[in-house]
Structures are given as C-alpha cells and as structure tokens.
Amino acid sequence: MNLETVIEVEDLRRSFKEKEAVAGISFSIERGEIFGLLGPNGAGKTTTIRLLTGQIDPNGGRARVAGCDVVRDRTKLKALIGVVFEDQNLYDRLSGRDNLRFSCWLYDLPESRADDMLALVNLADRAKSPVRTYSTGMKQRLMIARALLHKPPVLFLDELTRGLDPISARDIRGIIEGLRQEGTTILLTTHLLDEADQLCQHLAFIVNGRLVAGGSPRELKLAHGKRSLLVVAADPQNPNRLSETTLGMDDARDTARLNELMREGNVRSIHSQEATLEEVFIEVAGIRPA
Amino acid sequence: MHPRIIWAIARKDALDLWLNKATLGGLLAPIVLSLVYLLIGKVIGNSTMNILVYNPGTSNVVQILDSFQNTQVTQAGSSSEVSNAFSGVVSKGATHYAVGLVVPSGFDASLVAGDRPQLQLFIDAKDVNSQTRVLVEAAIVNYCRTVASPQPPVDLVTRVVNQAANTNMAATLSKFYASLILLVSLMVGITFMPQILIEEKEKKTLRMLMVSPASFADMLLGKLIVVLVYQFILTGVVMAIQEAFTGQVALVVLYAVLGGLFSLSLGLLLGSLFSTVSASSAAIGPIAAIFIIAGIFVGPLGDMLSSSPVTRIVHFLPTYYIAEGVWNATQNLGTFSSQLLDIGVVLGSTIVFFAVAAWALRRQSAVAASI
C-alpha cells in the first residue's frame, strides 16, 4: 500500500438476505483528500460507510482504513475514525456539552476538549441547553464536533448537509474544507451533486452497489458530460431582439448551425458551457439522482 | 471489557435517567407508595393490640402474633390466666386484651410427631374484626405448616367473645405489605432496563457507540450497573420505610439482592425483544402487573387464598418465591428446605432469563449497525 493511501478498498461486498447492497467495489483515497461517494437512495453509500467503519462485516473483498483491516483491526480502527451519521443520533435529553463530555469519557480525553469543539462549531452559547431544543443545523454541527473530538485522521460523513438551510450547509462545508486543509482524509456520501462538486477532489458514482464511474469532478465532466456553447444572436428581422441557442460541440449538425450563424453575422456572444455533475450522473447511471 | 468505558456509559445513563422526568416519576413511585401506606397505617392503625400468651414451651408460634403491627405481647403465668382474661370477669384496672393464646408445652415437637396438639385462641371481637381474625388463624396454621409440612396437624380452637367492632385491617397487613412493596420496587429493573437499552436502538445512538471504543458488552454492563444501583437504593429505601429489615435480616437482604438481579435479567430479556420504547411499554405494563400480583399470594392472605386455583398458577412465577422468601425471613418462619427452594427458584430463573437475554443480545450485537 502506498504510504499516502489512507483508504484502500478491493472488491468489497455485502449482501442483506437476497439483496446485494455492495457488489464488489474498489477504490482508494489519498491523505488529505475529500472523496465523494455519490448515488441515489439505496445505492449502497451508507452500507459502504458501515463496512469501512467496522459496523458490519463484509461478505467478500477487503478494506483497509488508516492502515487497519476493517475486520481484523476493528478495535484499533475505532480510535482512528470519526463518523457523522445520516441520522441525528444524539442524546436529546442531555445538553450539547454533556453529549460531548460523554464522548470525552469514552475516548479518555479531558473534558475541556468538549468546550473547545463547541466553540469550533459555534455552539458555545448553547452548550448547556438540552439537545432536543437545538435546530437541525445545530444538531448537525454538534455531530461534527463529536466526530472530531478525538482528532481522527479519517472522517466519514454520511449525508452531511441533508435537511440543512443554505447558510448552515455553507458553514458546515467551510468546516469540512478547513479539516481537509489540515490533512484529514474525508469520505463523504451525498446525493447533492453541487455539494460534491464544491468539496470533493475525487468522486465515485455508485448505483445498485456498483461503482459506475470515478475521477475528479473535472475529469468526469469532460469524460461523460456533453460540451456545449451558448450562442446569443440577433434576430435578422429585428436586430434589437436577441435569442439564446445551446449548441453541442460534438454534434455535426450543431457545428453547421454555428457556422451558419457566424456567416450571417448575427452572433453577439458565445459562452462555453461545462457539463454539470447531474448531467454526468444521468449519463453514467441512466437515472436521475434522488 | 473496559472499566473506564463501562463507567462512562453508566455515568451517561445515570444522568439521562435523572433528566428523564417520566423515568424519575417511575423511580419515585414505590417510595411514594410506601410513604402513603405508612401514613395510612399511622392515621388509622395506631392503637395497640394487647395479646396475652401462655407459652411454657417457648414455641416460635408466638412470634406470628408479635409480627402484626402495633401489638404488645404479655406472657401469662398459666393457661387459666388467659381464659379468665376472656371470660368477661375482669378485675377493675386490669389490662384489656384483644387476643389470647394458650400454647401447650412441647407444642413444636408435638407438631413434628403428628400428635395434633391443641392451640387455644381467644379473640375479643370488639378489638379484632373478622378479617383480622382469619389472618391470625391463617398465620398460625401457616406456621404449623412450616414446622410439619404439608398438612397442619394442629387442633386450633378459637373462642370469640363480645360483639364485633370495626378495627383496622390495614395495620395487620404491614409485614405482608413489605414483601409486596419489594416486588413493586423490583419494577425498576423490569421497566427501566429495557427502556434505556431500547432507546439506544430506537434513537440510533447505538451506532455511535459501536464506532467508539465501546464494545457491546461494555454498553450492556454500563447499563446493568446503573439500573442495579438505582434498584438497590430504591429497594433499600422502601424496605426501610416498611421496617422490613427485621427477623432474619441477612435473608431479607439476600432476597432483595436476588430480586434485583432477577428484575434486571428479565428487563434485559425484554430489552432484547423490542426495538421501540412504545412497543415495549405496552408489553411491560401487563408483565409487571402479573409479577407484582404474585406478592398477594404469600403470608396470611396467601393462606386465605390457598384453595384458589389461581394460587397454583402463581406458584409458577419466580416473584412469588421472592415474596414468600421475604415474608418468611421477616417472620422468622420457614425451614431451611423452604428457603432453599425460594432461593433456588429465584436464582435459577435469573440465570435462565439472563442467558436467554445474553444470547438474543449477542445476536443483535452482530448486526448492531442495522438495528
């Protein structure tokens, strides 16, 4: 294994009764990288996280996280990972501070660490309030604080910003980007393709338990998206009236149409258009994301 | 297993139980019940019942009468002194007695020999109502049964003088209530153990624990400790309120400890069966009621109900043996074999429930993440 490879997955499999939730996936994640696992609901994203965090055993294949085999070195692995779950699983009668103090006790950390983390996620002023009085965004920030409490080198984030308002989601993305810059390796699952585009250095699309495409966002867009131009042209009958036309760069008929517009001299401006991840997803998965 | 982590989970659960208002109410209910009963006993049953006893052979049967609340036992010098006290010819200024008992010399040995010795019981109906009289008779017969089981080979002759008057039956039930309140306090384990276990599953905090350094065994042990501590504190308090630490105190404590462990193992089993608190609450209520009811079928009330077919069914409940054991221990009753039976049944059922719960939870731990 390369020294810089923090997560290495080879032909990982997991079935629940008849259904194969993860069907032989392979990928690797380098240190300090945010890796996005994208796919529709039920595609196998959460099962992959459960396998990599040692919550469930695989039926086949192998995976190493931070140098630990996820089956054989489970106890050691637990100290090296932090997990933000899809569900907001906090003790809602306890205060935010008590939730974090409990994690301090579990990881044998000084209780002052709880206050440091509450300050990091801007919850210091609500530290003593019961968690049941927190908003969804506050709970999510508290879960991030809990996951970071023991300074894990690897972080798993399952549907990080689901249900959050745009401001909270932006704040949380800021925290995650800061962690990446400090060298934390992050695997996040999401079905929010814009979020993945902003945060991730590498992406993998998972559909029905299989990885159907992978690479950096730019590579994926170039490889799978349709290149196009937005052409703004004047109406020959009424030069003050402008119209917009999207023309594919790889389509012969569109190329001919562009040449025609240029010859007529009515073109006012041309903008190159990059494919979106949603278009890539539709292209590689054949379905729209959830 | 990690002691630090077990302690961490116990601290968290103790705090969580304290902050849970519904749970706190449930925890305090047995104490409130004990205090209410104590208050009723003080208000209604405060008069002393004088008992005159002739017991030349110092038989323990006298302790039966002594165990009734607010009694004052006086030793008579002869059997005629007792019969005269209830003859209606009482000298001015002499003490008035509500109950009299004449125990023949060598009474216990005669019982064992099957000689059917005669006991003379005198009741003044002005002071002792018919229910209390039945309880006294049943208690005496129950004592004889423990000395020479299974049939009570005693000839109990009861003579009732004067007209009936209203007296407080509640006062006479005090000791019996001690065994019943013990069962009520055992509900802590049956109700709270599953609750704190199921909440971890229902709120999915169990997943968080499973990716932390805690193991499934750490989690269970932490919860067992906190509920057991609550259980013992509560049992100790209600037993103290009921003045139940009398008689064979070591045995009383043993039954309280065994009862607590039994309660916990049953709670653990229930916690392994359900995934939501609402579903478990619906089932736990009737189960707890069935187990508490067993406490009614011990002591004098148990003797009154001995012919009921329900009594035979109740004998299948381990809590019956807890209540019987406590009753016998507080009354200095019961033989070594009967105590052994009570202890054996409670201990055996505790081990069986714990083993089944451990097996079920072990299976769940393997799929903890998918709970």
Side-chain angles (χ1 to χ4, degrees):
Chain A
M1 192 168 88
N2 187 315
L3 281 176
E4 289 299 301
T5 302
V6 176
I7 298 177
E8 191 172 37
V9 177
E10 282 181 31
D11 196 29
L12 199 63
R13 295 170 185 276
R14 171 71 198 208
S15 299
F16 295 105
K17 295 181 181 172
E18 301 296 307
K19 182 173 167 51
E20 196 168 29
V22 174
I25 61 173
S26 302
F27 60 88
S28 62
I29 307 176
E30 305 300 309
R31 188 179 306 281
E33 186 175 80
I34 301 180
F35 183 95
L37 198 55
L38 311 181
N41 292 336
K45 304 188 297 289
T46 299
T47 303
T48 302
I49 283 194
R50 289 181 188 175
L51 287 164
L52 297 182
T53 53
Q55 295 177 67
I56 51 175
D57 287 338
N59 299 131
R62 68 184 198 95
R64 293 181 72 81
V65 175
C68 301
D69 186 282
V70 295
V71 178
R72 289 197 301 272
D73 308 322
R74 190 166 291 173
T75 306
K76 192 179 164 195
L77 172 71
K78 285 177 172 184
L80 300 171
I81 59 170
V83 185
V84 176
F85 296 86
E86 184 179 10
D87 303 293
Q88 294 192 318
N89 53 354
L90 295 157
Y91 295 101
D92 57 7
R93 282 186 293 268
L94 302 188
S95 66
R97 186 169 185 271
D98 284 337
N99 268 274
L100 295 192
R101 278 173 67 212
F102 173 48
S103 288
C104 287
W105 301 337
L106 288 176
Y107 288 94
D108 200 16
L109 301 168
E111 289 186 12
S112 59
R113 181 81 181 135
D115 296 320
D116 295 343
M117 293 313 297
L118 285 166
L120 178 77
V121 296
N122 294 322
L123 284 175
D125 56 332
R126 294 292 304 274
K128 292 180 181 173
S129 304
V131 165
R132 66 171 178 270
T133 64
Y134 283 19
S135 68
T136 306
M138 290 163 75
K139 286 179 184 174
Q140 199 72 4
R141 278 185 276 155
L142 186 62
M143 284 176 52
I144 292 171
R146 184 177 67 183
L148 298 176
L149 204 64
H150 54 296
K151 299 180 180 174
V154 184
L155 205 53
F156 293 90
L157 310 172
D158 198 358
E159 300 292 354
L160 183 67
T161 58
R162 191 172 71 165
L164 297 187
D165 60 79
I167 305 295
S168 297
R170 187 195 61 194
D171 291 348
I172 286 174
R173 280 196 289 269
I175 293 171
I176 299 307
E177 178 56 29
L179 289 168
R180 185 193 70 79
Q181 288 171 6
E182 290 170 11
T184 305
T185 305
I186 299 168
L187 187 153
L188 72 83
T189 71
T190 183
H191 58 262
L192 301 176
L193 301 175
D194 287 343
E195 179 174 280
D197 202 1
Q198 289 175 46
L199 280 175
C200 300
Q201 285 72 56
H202 279 87
L203 298 171
F205 287 98
I206 184 168
V207 180
N208 294 329
R210 291 181 170 79
L211 292 186
V212 292
S216 69
R218 178 159 292 277
E219 286 168 352
L220 284 166
K221 289 172 191 171
L222 289 174
H224 300 281
K226 288 179 180 169
R227 298 180 304 150
S228 61
L229 296 172
L230 179 69
V231 180
V232 180
D235 185 339
Q237 308 302 322
N238 182 2
N240 292 327
R241 188 175 170 188
L242 300 176
S243 63
E244 292 181 351
T245 310
T246 301
L247 299 171
M249 292 170 68
D250 304 315
D251 186 306
R253 280 184 299 180
D254 282 356
T255 306
R257 173 68 183 139
L258 179 62
N259 289 335
E260 185 185 332
L261 288 169
M262 294 291 283
R263 275 199 305 276
E264 289 169 355
N266 293 323
V267 173
R268 293 288 184 268
S269 63
I270 299 175
H271 306 271
S272 63
Q273 282 191 318
E274 194 174 44
T276 63
L277 279 179
E278 183 173 334
E279 288 165 341
V280 176
F281 188 90
I282 294 167
E283 165 79 16
V284 299
I287 51 174
R288 287 191 171 273
Chain B
M1 249 179 277
H2 312 90
R4 176 180 52 77
I5 292 169
I6 293 168
W7 175 233
I9 291 167
R11 284 171 76 185
K12 184 270 294 175
D13 280 331
L15 181 61
D16 201 24
L17 276 175
W18 181 252
L19 293 171
N20 187 345
K21 298 291 182 290
T23 306
L24 200 58
L27 278 170
L28 296 176
I31 294 175
V32 172
L33 208 59
S34 293
L35 290 171
V36 166
Y37 187 80
L38 192 71
L39 190 67
I40 291 170
K42 293 287 180 198
V43 169
I44 303 172
N46 217 16
S47 60
T48 302
M49 185 163 69
N50 287 311
I51 301 171
L52 185 62
V53 173
Y54 176 60
N55 184 21
T58 61
S59 168
N60 284 333
V61 70
V62 175
Q63 288 178 1
I64 294 296
L65 299 178
D66 203 15
S67 66
F68 282 77
Q69 197 179 49
N70 299 325
T71 56
Q72 175 69 49
V73 175
T74 304
Q75 297 293 334
S78 65
S79 61
S80 58
E81 188 183 337
V82 178
S83 56
N84 285 342
F86 290 86
S87 65
V89 187
V90 180
S91 58
K92 196 175 179 183
T95 307
H96 174 75
Y97 293 102
V99 177
L101 185 67
V102 175
V103 186
S105 179
F107 176 69
D108 289 7
S110 299
L111 279 175
V112 175
D115 293 342
R116 198 178 172 78
Q118 189 183 71
L119 267 185
Q120 293 180 64
L121 178 67
F122 297 85
I123 300 285
D124 188 333
K126 279 196 299 184
D127 304 308
V128 181
N129 66 16
S130 58
Q131 296 99 319
T132 307
R133 193 190 105 198
V134 171
L135 288 176
V136 170
E137 289 173 338
I140 291 171
V141 170
N142 187 46
Y143 170 79
C144 298
R145 192 174 281 152
T146 61
V147 175
S149 60
Q151 293 304 315
V154 64
D155 180 13
L156 181 63
V157 177
T158 306
R159 187 178 151 206
V160 180
V161 297
N162 292 325
Q163 292 296 310
N166 288 328
T167 53
N168 176 29
M169 184 182 172
T172 63
L173 289 172
S174 175
K175 294 288 197 258
F176 152 75
Y177 188 73
S179 57
L180 190 61
I181 198 72
L182 171 67
L183 293 188
V184 174
S185 75
L186 295 185
M187 291 306 108
V188 169
I190 297 177
T191 53
F192 299 144
M193 188 66 224
Q195 184 182 322
I196 61 173
L197 193 58
I198 292 167
E199 270 197 354
E200 295 277 14
K201 296 191 242 177
E202 190 174 12
K203 294 182 177 175
K204 301 193 188 301
T205 43
L206 184 59
R207 286 185 186 167
M208 184 278 289
L209 288 175
M210 291 300 98
V211 297
S212 79
S215 67
F216 201 78
D218 293 334
M219 192 269 296
L220 281 184
L221 278 171
K223 292 183 184 309
L224 281 170
I225 286 169
V226 76
V227 178
L228 200 61
V229 168
Y230 271 117
Q231 175 75 80
F232 285 160
I233 291 172
L234 189 66
T235 302
V237 169
V238 297
M239 297 285 276
I241 292 171
Q242 291 302 312
E243 298 171 351
F245 292 114
T246 57
Q248 295 163 301
V249 177
L251 268 178
V252 174
V253 172
L254 176 64
Y255 280 109
V257 170
L258 284 178
L261 293 174
F262 167 78
S263 163
L264 244 67
S265 64
L266 180 58
L268 209 56
L269 181 62
L270 293 170
S272 72
L273 296 177
F274 297 98
S275 297
T276 63
V277 172
S278 57
S280 72
S281 300
I284 286 166
I287 291 170
I290 289 169
F291 273 77
I292 292 174
I293 278 171
I296 294 171
F297 291 81
V298 298
L301 206 55
D303 288 321
M304 286 173 66
L305 300 167
S306 60
S307 58
S308 165
V310 179
T311 304
R312 287 192 202 125
I313 298 169
V314 166
H315 283 201
F316 286 100
L317 299 175
T319 45
Y320 167 80
Y321 296 92
I322 299 171
E324 187 187 59
V326 170
W327 164 258
N328 286 338
T330 54
Q331 305 300 302
N332 283 315
L333 293 174
T335 59
F336 176 73
S337 60
S338 70
Q339 296 285 15
L340 206 61
L341 173 70
D342 291 337
I343 292 168
V345 170
V346 179
L347 194 61
S349 51
T350 300
I351 292 168
V352 168
F353 283 162
F354 191 84
V356 175
W359 174 78
L361 289 166
R362 198 178 170 84
R363 277 173 59 89
Q364 289 183 11
S365 75
V367 288
S370 53
I371 289 170

